[in-house]
Amino acid sequence: WTKATLDYAVEAAARCAVVDEIQCGTSSQTQNYAATRAAGLSVAPALFTVTSAGCGIQVSIDLPFEFVAPGLFPYVLTLRSVACYPT
């Protein structure tokens, strides 16, 4: 669920950065937009990265993830989500 939520957030933010200059006209606005699209997660906007890439505008995040039952899964892994929307 967490990975799918992050995937949705970066996809929505990359699209917003290209098609909605009012709401996502700057990198920080796009980061804030991405954080609001990560429903149910407390993700700081600064964790999202917004760059211009060969594919268009790219939004990504690397989020450390701890399992709900740390006794069963005593490690942390990093969830990575990346999306690019053509300009």
Side-chain angles (χ1 to χ4, degrees):
W1 175 81
T2 302
K3 176 69 165 104
T5 300
L6 292 174
D7 288 344
Y8 171 74
V10 297
E11 289 170 7
R15 182 182 182 283
C16 183
V18 173
V19 302
D20 189 349
E21 288 186 19
I22 294 170
Q23 195 166 15
C24 299
T26 66
S27 291
S28 66
Q29 286 176 313
T30 303
Q31 289 170 311
N32 288 329
Y33 185 84
T36 65
R37 294 301 177 253
L41 300 176
S42 292
V43 180
L47 292 177
F48 290 94
T49 303
V50 180
T51 56
S52 291
C55 59
I57 300 296
Q58 180 174 300
V59 179
S60 63
I61 187 169
D62 291 316
L63 183 71
F65 177 79
E66 277 189 57
F67 289 91
V68 176
L72 296 173
F73 304 103
Y75 53 90
V76 176
L77 56 97
T78 300
L79 299 178
R80 178 165 177 77
S81 293
V82 179
C84 195
Y85 201 85
T87 52

